[in-house]
Amino acid sequence: MTINKIHTYVLSFFFMLIMCGMLYAESKENATLMVFPARKSIVQLAFDFARLEPVTLVTYNSESDISEPSLYIWKKSLNNWVKIDMDDYRSASLFQPKPSEVIILGNDDRILSTMKQASQWCQNVKVISKLDIVTVVNKVNESLNFSPRGWKWLAKRHELEISDLNAERRRYGKYGKPGETKVPEETAPMPKTEQEPIVIPPVTSTSTAQPVQKETVAPIAEQEKGLDNQSASKVIFESPGETQPEDK
């Protein structure tokens, strides 16, 4: 093999890696679409989500005298909101590629129903009807799966406290704290079988039976499986402090 052929193979390999990376980035860019009301606190939170994970943002302005909400999509290239048609949203023609999940936020049942019907082009649609920050962050995390660094940044920025529900389980293992008894699992009763009883005739023995000596067997220690720290649930609560977080 000549040096020129080796050079060609190396260049082809790196070109394929670059193309795969571009395709992955493009597919992840519009993986999640978030639709939310045009409220200052919710809009700010949505932009924070977009700083942590690739999310397409669509906000709506609801008015009582119109049947459908006005929609606006955030364009990074223009650094501004752009008004879009509801028909374009229903056809998903403005999303290339189409998002694999849609998260709809709001507490107006009429608008939630409208946006859910308009999002039928997506098989995975999640509705969050409670708009307090704790509920929103936890529900959105189920989809975006924030990293530990992202959790810390959100907690500091919005004055939240991170609490791990599985901290004690990881500390004491699957058997729990010392002194706690584990409730045994109920087992289903064995079905009765229609079987005739077996009659064993008596056996006459001419010799005295010797008792059977029981063999002592050392108990086998049960190996306790370790728990994965990354599988622990994360729940957040509002922090009682009034210290303002520092944005990075």
Side-chain angles (χ1 to χ4, degrees):
M1 184 179 293
T2 62
I3 297 179
N4 289 335
K5 287 185 177 181
I6 295 176
H7 188 260
T8 303
Y9 288 147
V10 171
L11 289 178
S12 301
F13 176 74
F14 280 106
F15 178 76
M16 290 177 62
L17 288 179
I18 293 173
M19 291 300 298
C20 290
M22 292 175 63
L23 291 174
Y24 174 77
E26 182 179 359
S27 62
K28 192 177 180 182
E29 181 67 23
N30 294 326
T32 303
L33 170 64
M34 188 171 295
V35 183
F36 48 91
R39 300 182 186 177
K40 184 177 180 181
S41 58
I42 300 299
V43 172
Q44 163 123 28
L45 189 58
F47 273 110
D48 289 344
F49 293 153
R51 291 179 65 177
L52 297 175
E53 299 292 337
V55 179
T56 300
L57 304 180
V58 171
T59 187
Y60 59 82
N61 242 338
S62 58
E63 298 177 5
S64 58
D65 57 341
I66 59 175
S67 57
E68 294 182 340
S70 303
L71 302 181
Y72 299 85
I73 188 172
W74 177 256
K75 291 290 187 181
K76 292 182 180 179
S77 57
L78 302 176
N79 197 33
N80 202 356
W81 294 98
V82 176
K83 186 175 176 57
I84 58 176
D85 256 358
M86 178 63 80
D87 291 336
D88 292 335
Y89 181 90
R90 285 194 182 96
S91 64
S93 58
L94 48 89
F95 305 118
Q96 296 298 331
K98 293 182 180 179
S100 58
E101 183 178 17
V102 177
I103 303 176
I104 305 174
L105 286 76
N107 51 13
D108 189 320
D109 293 337
R110 177 180 60 90
I111 296 178
L112 290 179
S113 177
T114 299
M115 296 308 304
K116 190 173 181 180
Q117 292 179 0
S119 305
Q120 290 182 352
W121 45 266
C122 182
Q123 295 182 354
N124 189 10
V125 178
K126 175 187 293 186
V127 176
I128 302 176
S129 56
K130 293 183 179 180
L131 298 183
D132 62 281
I133 187 171
V134 173
T135 299
V136 172
V137 174
N138 275 305
K139 291 294 185 181
V140 171
N141 174 65
E142 295 175 1
S143 300
L144 300 185
N145 192 20
F146 302 127
S147 65
R149 184 177 180 182
W151 272 106
K152 291 179 181 179
W153 183 79
L154 284 172
K156 183 178 180 181
R157 183 168 174 81
H158 295 277
E159 295 183 333
L160 303 173
E161 181 180 348
I162 302 175
S163 178
D164 187 355
L165 287 180
N166 286 336
E168 288 190 359
R169 186 182 178 191
R170 292 203 319 273
R171 179 180 177 184
Y172 296 106
K174 63 180 179 180
Y175 296 106
K177 290 183 179 180
E180 292 184 351
T181 57
K182 190 175 181 181
V183 179
E185 298 180 358
E186 296 183 358
T187 56
M190 295 295 294
K192 295 181 179 180
T193 58
E194 300 295 335
Q195 184 177 1
E196 296 182 358
I198 301 175
V199 180
I200 302 176
V203 179
T204 302
S205 177
T206 58
S207 62
T208 304
Q210 296 295 329
V212 179
Q213 297 294 332
K214 294 184 179 180
E215 182 180 358
T216 304
V217 182
I220 300 175
E222 181 180 358
Q223 183 178 1
E224 180 178 347
K225 296 180 179 179
L227 297 175
D228 186 3
N229 293 343
Q230 298 300 327
S231 65
S233 303
K234 297 184 181 68
V235 178
I236 57 177
F237 305 92
E238 293 188 19
S239 173
E242 298 184 356
T243 305
Q244 298 296 327
E246 298 179 1
D247 294 348
K248 294 183 178 181

PDB file of all heavy atoms in Angstrom, residues 33 44 49 51-52 72 77 89 113 115 122 127 133 228 244:
ATOM      1  N   LEU A  33     -39.528  20.047  21.134  1.00  0.00           N
ATOM      2  CA  LEU A  33     -40.215  21.321  20.898  1.00  0.00           C
ATOM      3  C   LEU A  33     -40.970  21.692  22.158  1.00  0.00           C
ATOM      4  O   LEU A  33     -41.726  20.876  22.699  1.00  0.00           O
ATOM      5  CB  LEU A  33     -41.183  21.198  19.721  1.00  0.00           C
ATOM      6  CG  LEU A  33     -42.151  22.374  19.510  1.00  0.00           C
ATOM      7  CD1 LEU A  33     -41.395  23.650  19.162  1.00  0.00           C
ATOM      8  CD2 LEU A  33     -43.170  22.035  18.438  1.00  0.00           C
ATOM      9  N   GLN A  44     -38.439  33.056  30.546  1.00  0.00           N
ATOM     10  CA  GLN A  44     -37.064  33.011  31.067  1.00  0.00           C
ATOM     11  C   GLN A  44     -36.619  31.584  31.361  1.00  0.00           C
ATOM     12  O   GLN A  44     -35.495  31.187  31.064  1.00  0.00           O
ATOM     13  CB  GLN A  44     -37.001  33.842  32.357  1.00  0.00           C
ATOM     14  CG  GLN A  44     -35.782  33.550  33.180  1.00  0.00           C
ATOM     15  CD  GLN A  44     -34.945  34.785  33.437  1.00  0.00           C
ATOM     16  OE1 GLN A  44     -35.454  35.877  33.467  1.00  0.00           O
ATOM     17  NE2 GLN A  44     -33.672  34.588  33.587  1.00  0.00           N
ATOM     18  N   PHE A  49     -33.664  26.434  29.790  1.00  0.00           N
ATOM     19  CA  PHE A  49     -33.645  25.059  29.287  1.00  0.00           C
ATOM     20  C   PHE A  49     -32.876  24.982  27.971  1.00  0.00           C
ATOM     21  O   PHE A  49     -32.104  24.048  27.739  1.00  0.00           O
ATOM     22  CB  PHE A  49     -35.074  24.551  29.079  1.00  0.00           C
ATOM     23  CG  PHE A  49     -35.852  24.387  30.348  1.00  0.00           C
ATOM     24  CD1 PHE A  49     -37.246  24.494  30.349  1.00  0.00           C
ATOM     25  CD2 PHE A  49     -35.218  24.125  31.545  1.00  0.00           C
ATOM     26  CE1 PHE A  49     -37.968  24.333  31.518  1.00  0.00           C
ATOM     27  CE2 PHE A  49     -35.937  23.969  32.728  1.00  0.00           C
ATOM     28  CZ  PHE A  49     -37.319  24.078  32.704  1.00  0.00           C
ATOM     29  N   ARG A  51     -30.490  26.828  27.013  1.00  0.00           N
ATOM     30  CA  ARG A  51     -29.048  26.997  27.233  1.00  0.00           C
ATOM     31  C   ARG A  51     -28.394  25.688  27.649  1.00  0.00           C
ATOM     32  O   ARG A  51     -27.202  25.481  27.431  1.00  0.00           O
ATOM     33  CB  ARG A  51     -28.810  28.063  28.301  1.00  0.00           C
ATOM     34  CG  ARG A  51     -29.164  29.474  27.869  1.00  0.00           C
ATOM     35  CD  ARG A  51     -28.939  30.478  28.980  1.00  0.00           C
ATOM     36  NE  ARG A  51     -27.529  30.596  29.342  1.00  0.00           N
ATOM     37  CZ  ARG A  51     -27.060  31.445  30.256  1.00  0.00           C
ATOM     38  NH1 ARG A  51     -27.905  32.229  30.913  1.00  0.00           N
ATOM     39  NH2 ARG A  51     -25.774  31.496  30.527  1.00  0.00           N
ATOM     40  N   LEU A  52     -29.189  24.793  28.251  1.00  0.00           N
ATOM     41  CA  LEU A  52     -28.643  23.514  28.722  1.00  0.00           C
ATOM     42  C   LEU A  52     -28.768  22.413  27.684  1.00  0.00           C
ATOM     43  O   LEU A  52     -27.877  21.568  27.557  1.00  0.00           O
ATOM     44  CB  LEU A  52     -29.363  23.086  30.009  1.00  0.00           C
ATOM     45  CG  LEU A  52     -29.193  24.009  31.218  1.00  0.00           C
ATOM     46  CD1 LEU A  52     -30.056  23.519  32.375  1.00  0.00           C
ATOM     47  CD2 LEU A  52     -27.732  24.090  31.641  1.00  0.00           C
ATOM     48  N   TYR A  72     -45.543  32.224  18.100  1.00  0.00           N
ATOM     49  CA  TYR A  72     -44.281  32.857  17.743  1.00  0.00           C
ATOM     50  C   TYR A  72     -43.164  31.843  17.993  1.00  0.00           C
ATOM     51  O   TYR A  72     -43.128  31.195  19.040  1.00  0.00           O
ATOM     52  CB  TYR A  72     -44.033  34.121  18.574  1.00  0.00           C
ATOM     53  CG  TYR A  72     -45.083  35.184  18.400  1.00  0.00           C
ATOM     54  CD1 TYR A  72     -46.258  35.147  19.149  1.00  0.00           C
ATOM     55  CD2 TYR A  72     -44.913  36.224  17.485  1.00  0.00           C
ATOM     56  CE1 TYR A  72     -47.237  36.110  18.989  1.00  0.00           C
ATOM     57  CE2 TYR A  72     -45.881  37.202  17.317  1.00  0.00           C
ATOM     58  CZ  TYR A  72     -47.045  37.133  18.074  1.00  0.00           C
ATOM     59  OH  TYR A  72     -48.014  38.093  17.909  1.00  0.00           O
ATOM     60  N   SER A  77     -30.995  32.767  14.465  1.00  0.00           N
ATOM     61  CA  SER A  77     -30.268  33.562  13.471  1.00  0.00           C
ATOM     62  C   SER A  77     -30.681  35.028  13.492  1.00  0.00           C
ATOM     63  O   SER A  77     -29.877  35.919  13.228  1.00  0.00           O
ATOM     64  CB  SER A  77     -30.511  32.979  12.069  1.00  0.00           C
ATOM     65  OG  SER A  77     -31.903  32.943  11.781  1.00  0.00           O
ATOM     66  N   TYR A  89     -47.997  25.263  11.791  1.00  0.00           N
ATOM     67  CA  TYR A  89     -47.685  24.458  12.969  1.00  0.00           C
ATOM     68  C   TYR A  89     -48.355  23.091  12.863  1.00  0.00           C
ATOM     69  O   TYR A  89     -47.747  22.064  13.175  1.00  0.00           O
ATOM     70  CB  TYR A  89     -48.149  25.167  14.241  1.00  0.00           C
ATOM     71  CG  TYR A  89     -47.827  24.399  15.505  1.00  0.00           C
ATOM     72  CD1 TYR A  89     -46.629  24.597  16.178  1.00  0.00           C
ATOM     73  CD2 TYR A  89     -48.734  23.455  16.016  1.00  0.00           C
ATOM     74  CE1 TYR A  89     -46.332  23.882  17.333  1.00  0.00           C
ATOM     75  CE2 TYR A  89     -48.439  22.734  17.166  1.00  0.00           C
ATOM     76  CZ  TYR A  89     -47.244  22.957  17.816  1.00  0.00           C
ATOM     77  OH  TYR A  89     -46.948  22.234  18.943  1.00  0.00           O
ATOM     78  N   SER A 113     -55.986  22.104  24.929  1.00  0.00           N
ATOM     79  CA  SER A 113     -56.679  21.187  24.017  1.00  0.00           C
ATOM     80  C   SER A 113     -56.391  21.536  22.564  1.00  0.00           C
ATOM     81  O   SER A 113     -56.144  20.655  21.729  1.00  0.00           O
ATOM     82  CB  SER A 113     -58.184  21.234  24.290  1.00  0.00           C
ATOM     83  OG  SER A 113     -58.882  20.407  23.391  1.00  0.00           O
ATOM     84  N   MET A 115     -53.710  23.172  21.303  1.00  0.00           N
ATOM     85  CA  MET A 115     -52.324  22.886  20.944  1.00  0.00           C
ATOM     86  C   MET A 115     -52.048  21.386  20.901  1.00  0.00           C
ATOM     87  O   MET A 115     -51.239  20.921  20.092  1.00  0.00           O
ATOM     88  CB  MET A 115     -51.376  23.571  21.935  1.00  0.00           C
ATOM     89  CG  MET A 115     -51.437  25.093  21.913  1.00  0.00           C
ATOM     90  SD  MET A 115     -51.249  25.792  20.251  1.00  0.00           S
ATOM     91  CE  MET A 115     -49.681  25.103  19.738  1.00  0.00           C
ATOM     92  N   CYS A 122     -46.923  14.661  15.995  1.00  0.00           N
ATOM     93  CA  CYS A 122     -45.894  14.082  16.851  1.00  0.00           C
ATOM     94  C   CYS A 122     -46.530  13.008  17.726  1.00  0.00           C
ATOM     95  O   CYS A 122     -47.587  13.234  18.334  1.00  0.00           O
ATOM     96  CB  CYS A 122     -45.245  15.166  17.716  1.00  0.00           C
ATOM     97  SG  CYS A 122     -43.906  14.561  18.776  1.00  0.00           S
ATOM     98  N   VAL A 127     -48.084  17.183  28.257  1.00  0.00           N
ATOM     99  CA  VAL A 127     -48.762  18.400  28.704  1.00  0.00           C
ATOM    100  C   VAL A 127     -48.434  18.644  30.168  1.00  0.00           C
ATOM    101  O   VAL A 127     -48.577  17.750  31.013  1.00  0.00           O
ATOM    102  CB  VAL A 127     -50.285  18.286  28.517  1.00  0.00           C
ATOM    103  CG1 VAL A 127     -50.987  19.527  29.073  1.00  0.00           C
ATOM    104  CG2 VAL A 127     -50.634  18.109  27.043  1.00  0.00           C
ATOM    105  N   ILE A 133     -42.507  26.589  39.313  1.00  0.00           N
ATOM    106  CA  ILE A 133     -41.178  26.292  38.787  1.00  0.00           C
ATOM    107  C   ILE A 133     -40.707  24.892  39.167  1.00  0.00           C
ATOM    108  O   ILE A 133     -40.046  24.199  38.376  1.00  0.00           O
ATOM    109  CB  ILE A 133     -40.166  27.359  39.268  1.00  0.00           C
ATOM    110  CG1 ILE A 133     -38.812  27.138  38.585  1.00  0.00           C
ATOM    111  CG2 ILE A 133     -40.026  27.347  40.769  1.00  0.00           C
ATOM    112  CD1 ILE A 133     -37.837  28.266  38.844  1.00  0.00           C
ATOM    113  N   ASP A 228     -26.387   2.262  41.509  1.00  0.00           N
ATOM    114  CA  ASP A 228     -25.816   3.263  40.617  1.00  0.00           C
ATOM    115  C   ASP A 228     -26.217   4.646  41.084  1.00  0.00           C
ATOM    116  O   ASP A 228     -27.396   4.947  41.222  1.00  0.00           O
ATOM    117  CB  ASP A 228     -26.336   3.023  39.194  1.00  0.00           C
ATOM    118  CG  ASP A 228     -25.669   3.941  38.189  1.00  0.00           C
ATOM    119  OD1 ASP A 228     -24.780   4.692  38.606  1.00  0.00           O
ATOM    120  OD2 ASP A 228     -26.037   3.893  37.018  1.00  0.00           O
ATOM    121  N   GLN A 244     -29.499  36.058  45.914  1.00  0.00           N
ATOM    122  CA  GLN A 244     -29.682  36.060  44.486  1.00  0.00           C
ATOM    123  C   GLN A 244     -28.566  35.277  43.817  1.00  0.00           C
ATOM    124  O   GLN A 244     -27.400  35.470  44.144  1.00  0.00           O
ATOM    125  CB  GLN A 244     -29.724  37.486  43.920  1.00  0.00           C
ATOM    126  CG  GLN A 244     -30.874  38.310  44.458  1.00  0.00           C
ATOM    127  CD  GLN A 244     -32.210  37.722  44.041  1.00  0.00           C
ATOM    128  OE1 GLN A 244     -32.328  37.157  42.955  1.00  0.00           O
ATOM    129  NE2 GLN A 244     -33.218  37.822  44.901  1.00  0.00           N
TER     130      GLN A 244
END
